[in-house]
Amino acid sequence: MKIITVSREFGSGGREIGKRLADELGFTYYDKEIISKIVKENRFDDILDKDVENDIPLSFGRTFATLSFFRNSAVNMIVSEQKIIRAIAKRGENFVIVGRSADAILKRYKPCNIFVYADMQSKIKRCKKRLEKHETLTERDIERKIKQVDSARRKHRDLISTDKWGDRKNYHLCINTTGLDIKGVVPSVAEYAKNYFQQKKL
Amino acid sequence: MKIITVSREFGSGGREIGKRLADELGFTYYDKEIISKIVKENRFDDILDKDVENDIPLSFGRTFATLSFFRNSAVNMIVSEQKIIRAIAKRGENFVIVGRSADAILKRYKPCNIFVYADMQSKIKRCKKRLEKHETLTERDIERKIKQVDSARRKHRDLISTDKWGDRKNYHLCINTTGLDIKGVVPSVAEYAKNYFQQKKL
């Protein structure tokens, strides 16, 4: 089974890379929205019915702060997500998954882990293009939003693993999309992943 | 003019990636040995005859420590190297250059900057393969050597630029070679570089 995980800075085009990679390689595509939908619709009832505490990842409970945080519903959501992600992997199909610290959750399957990033100006520009017509965010607002989202991603990751979000050691390939059109970048990433799976005999 | 710079952790296979990239793309290849040879042979006499102090990079002189360090011959060597690297770029040919903080020195030419790394076990394994028959280094010796060389690279970089060695922000592509055969990785890097040059109109 071949798995590609894509982690990314907000606004770096990581999700587009993930989607295009899935298309190019003929893999199934998953991201936050798709997984949240599965969780909300209780589509994996048999898996989610089990006692949530049985599946608490190792990094929980290390400090008093995380212990108290553990009791709130956001954490239950994270644990449900983890179960869904593991259940997806158990199906055995090849897939690309964007976000959700899937690289840490799926470690045992030796996924090809990609990190996508860019400089702030480039991320702001990309976000501006995606704004709906009625949205009137200034560049400063967008920058604040980018920092908030990435900070949340960093924290999400800290709850699941001691390997830090964005630290290149945890990824096989880190791609800087500053000033680049995503479409042109994808073939080289697909090529990298193909060689990775071949060499790792996956 | 198309330039690829390769920075790398010692033992990660970065030099091999650089050489193979140059072969694959038909670029000229430069590394520490080749540049040292040019410096030692005074092949660029007209360039090196100028007063060395005229070309001191910005980061010199920031602290008293670097000021005193500046007076020694290692720094003269670094400054000579910088001049050689700039002189090479002025020739206008496409090239790959490994090490020497060339990404910082050649910034104005918008090089495609690559960083190659791997986990310690993988680097030790790669180094062991390269040992001469008479060399009897233990794994611990090799690990110490790896750390020493990388620390020297970090310091070399600090003298030339405030952008830190190994920080992914300073590179376009960071490649983790842990457990991978270098040969198989090169086509994807070449593909990435080709797209980079095309999109940047270089």
Side-chain angles (χ1 to χ4, degrees), chain A residues 2 11 16 21 29 68 72-73 79 159 179 197:
Chain A
K2 302 174 178 74
E16 190 182 338
L21 265 180
Y29 172 79
S68 69
N72 83 34
S73 65
V79 176
L159 285 170
F197 295 129

Side-chain angles (χ1 to χ4, degrees), chain B residues 135-163:
Chain B
E135 290 179 296
T136 52
L137 293 174
T138 65
E139 292 206 354
R140 218 169 142 179
D141 293 333
I142 296 173
E143 182 169 344
R144 202 176 300 125
K145 164 95 173 160
I146 290 171
K147 285 178 179 166
Q148 275 170 358
V149 174
D150 284 351
S151 165
R153 284 177 183 167
R154 202 168 283 119
K155 284 175 193 158
H156 180 273
R157 172 83 190 206
D158 283 345
L159 285 170
I160 288 171
S161 169
T162 51
D163 296 338

